[in-house]
Structures are given as structure tokens and as C-alpha cells.
Amino acid sequence: MQHGKYRFVVGFLAAPLTLYAVFVIWPFIQAVYYSFTDWTGLSPDFKMVGFANYQRMFEDEIFWKSLQHSVLFVVLLPLVTLSLALFFAFMINVGGRARKGAAVTGVRGSGFYKVAYFFPQVLSIAIVAVLFQFAYNPRDGALNSALSAIGLDGFQPSWLGDPDYALWAIMAVLVWSTVGFFVVLFSAGMASIPKDFYEAALLDGAGRITTFFRITLPLLWDTVQSGWIYMGILALGAEAFAVVHIMSVGPGGPDYSTSILPLYIYQSAFRDANAAYATTIGVALLVITLCFAAVVMRLGRRERLEY
């Protein structure tokens, strides 16, 4: 009987594990292999060069600039995005004043706010990037026009054309485009928390800030931790690449002030025809992503709360 059970389990898992190995594990192994070659990506001919690509990477100033910007993305984007999402979700669900028949409720118009916050998720990230590219236009863009309308004519930077502002302008777009998803995610989590917890706390004299840190955040911690990892991978992956590639000058400029690792991988492979060096940077990005996930899981580990 036990033998038949194990045979069934193995047979059931064989197909998905095989597909995972072929389409996920094997490409990782190939990337590591090609990082030790001089493959251009255009020719089937290449030779082994050992650690030459890794030595070049460690001596590459553009790589270190891109790494610095990617680390900035992976630290600040989750922090800002999740903090805003938690605040908005808390106000929408339990941040309102007591009303007749309900001691715990969201602010007035919370249904509208949910739709408004989630609206950017309906748009493609490419469309969002193009729209904000127009908004950041230094001549007739919406942002500088608004600054001029309130009397700040002396402060009208070129935004995407200014190395001091370009990276921050792009990060603001990523926050705007992703915060709505986490508002909905955290709202769903808060809706599952029994209202009795909040009502008991309010009867004991606890304020909204206390209930947030003593009830909401501890009970949502697993969701917040997962969101932090997801947001970090997004900041190191395709979504950040798309926004930087569309919005930045160059792309990656001016003066590599907006270059990030995914963009540098793309440029090395398709602009410079050096696929081997691109896979070397890709291996470094994989290691950084795994380290980020491990650090978040380790620092965020705490006793699971049941309710």
C-alpha cells in the first residue's frame, strides 16, 4: 500500500518537476556556463576564458554604478511603497470615525479610494512610463506647468535630463504604479482580521496608531514580508528595467545616473554584442536577488500569530 502511494506521488510530480528543470534550472546552468566564455550571442563559435568576465565586471565602473542604483531601488522602493500601501489600506478599512452601528470602519468614500489606488494596475507599465515621460517634459510637461502655476518658476529642473533628479523621478513612477496593488492586498488581509480586536482595543483607550502597530501590523506581518520580497524582485527585474529603458535618456543616462543592472545586462547583450559578459552580470544579479530574499526572510522571521 505504501509502495503504491509513493509511486503515485512520484508519478504525479515527475512532469511538473521535469518542466521546471528544463525551463528554469537548465537556463540558470547555461548562464553560469556562458559567463566563462567569450560568446557574442551572434555566433555559435566561442571559447572558454575562465574568470576573465568576472574580473572585468569587478573592474567595471558602469557595473558598480548600476549596482549602486539597483541596491537603492531594492531598499527604498519596498520601504516607500509598502509604507504608503499600509497607511492607505489602514485608513480605507479601519481608519475612519465610529458611525452608527459600526465602531470600526474606513474613511468615507473608501470604495472610491480603492478603485483610484488600483487604477494604475489596469495600465501597462509601458503606457505609464510614456505618460510620465510627457509629464516630466521640462518645457510643457504637467509637472513644471504645475510648479509655474503656484509661483515656483525658479524651480523647474529638466527632471529626466538632470543627473541629480532623473533616478528619483523614475523611482516615483514605480511607486505610483505599484502602490495600488499592495493597497488591495493589504485591504484583503485587514478585512480578515476580526473587528472585535479593534473594538476591544478602542474600548481600552487605544488610538489608531496603537491599534495599527499592536494589532494590524503583527497580524499582517506574513503578507508584508511576502510583499517586501515581491517588491524587491520587481525592483531588480523587468518592471524596473521597462521604466528605466523607456523614460531615461540614453537609456541609462544622463551620465549613467539611471543605469541599473537589468538595463546594463540588456545593453551588454544586444547593444555591445557581448552575451557572455551580460550573463556574467546576470549571475551577479541572481546572487544579489537570492541574498536580498534571504535577508528579508531572516530579519522578518517572528512567531506566527493565529486568530
Side-chain angles (χ1 to χ4, degrees):
M1 188 70 178
Q2 291 292 326
H3 178 71
K5 181 181 72 172
Y6 291 132
R7 185 165 51 186
F8 171 77
V9 172
V10 171
F12 184 78
L13 294 178
L17 288 177
T18 301
L19 291 174
Y20 184 81
V22 171
F23 292 105
V24 178
I25 303 299
W26 180 241
F28 286 156
I29 297 174
Q30 284 184 310
V32 174
Y33 171 74
Y34 284 125
S35 69
F36 292 101
T37 71
D38 63 352
W39 183 44
T40 64
L42 302 175
S43 170
D45 300 323
F46 57 87
K47 63 181 180 180
M48 302 297 293
V49 295
F51 289 93
N53 288 320
Y54 289 93
Q55 182 179 355
R56 174 187 170 184
M57 181 180 69
F58 286 119
E59 297 173 353
D60 189 351
E61 292 184 4
I62 302 175
F63 167 77
W64 289 109
K65 274 190 175 182
S66 303
L67 176 60
Q68 179 183 354
H69 298 153
S70 291
V71 170
L72 198 62
F73 269 41
V74 84
V75 171
L76 291 183
L77 281 178
L79 179 64
V80 175
T81 303
L82 298 184
S83 297
L84 288 174
L86 280 169
F87 172 74
F88 293 147
F90 183 78
M91 296 303 294
I92 287 173
N93 289 274
V94 296
R97 294 183 177 181
R99 301 174 197 166
K100 186 177 180 180
V104 179
T105 183
V107 296
R108 294 187 183 275
S110 58
F112 168 77
Y113 292 132
K114 286 182 182 179
V115 175
Y117 292 141
F118 191 74
F119 174 73
Q121 294 295 311
V122 180
L123 301 176
S124 165
I125 190 62
I127 295 175
V128 170
V130 171
L131 290 175
F132 273 91
Q133 194 174 33
F134 285 117
Y136 284 131
N137 190 302
R139 297 183 189 176
D140 52 4
L143 186 55
N144 278 357
S145 298
L147 292 173
S148 178
I150 61 176
L152 295 177
D153 301 279
F155 179 73
Q156 293 196 352
S158 58
W159 299 111
L160 298 176
D162 190 329
D164 295 330
Y165 293 100
L167 189 68
W168 303 106
I170 291 173
M171 290 177 65
V173 174
L174 284 167
V175 171
W176 182 86
S177 65
T178 54
V179 69
F181 170 80
F182 292 102
V183 169
V184 174
L185 178 66
F186 294 150
S187 293
M190 291 180 191
S192 66
I193 299 176
K195 299 292 185 183
D196 296 344
F197 291 3
Y198 292 106
E199 292 174 356
L202 293 175
L203 288 174
D204 288 339
R208 297 298 183 187
I209 296 177
T210 303
T211 57
F212 174 79
F213 285 103
R214 295 293 185 179
I215 298 176
T216 305
L217 190 57
L219 294 178
L220 278 183
W221 187 251
D222 289 343
T223 305
V224 173
Q225 186 182 49
S226 300
W228 195 288
I229 295 174
Y230 173 77
M231 190 65 199
I233 294 174
L234 181 149
L236 292 171
E239 191 145 351
F241 162 78
V243 174
V244 173
H245 187 268
I246 293 171
M247 296 185 64
S248 63
V249 179
D255 193 27
Y256 296 103
S257 61
T258 58
S259 180
I260 57 175
L261 287 180
L263 177 66
Y264 194 36
I265 292 172
Y266 171 83
Q267 291 174 333
S268 298
F270 298 102
R271 183 193 65 186
D272 304 333
N274 194 340
Y277 186 56
T279 57
T280 304
I281 304 172
V283 171
L285 180 60
L286 172 63
V287 172
I288 293 168
T289 304
L290 293 177
C291 290
F292 165 77
V295 168
V296 172
M297 294 293 292
R298 181 67 183 88
L299 295 180
R301 184 182 301 171
R302 60 171 60 188
E303 184 179 354
R304 185 179 180 87
L305 299 176
E306 301 288 346
Y307 59 93

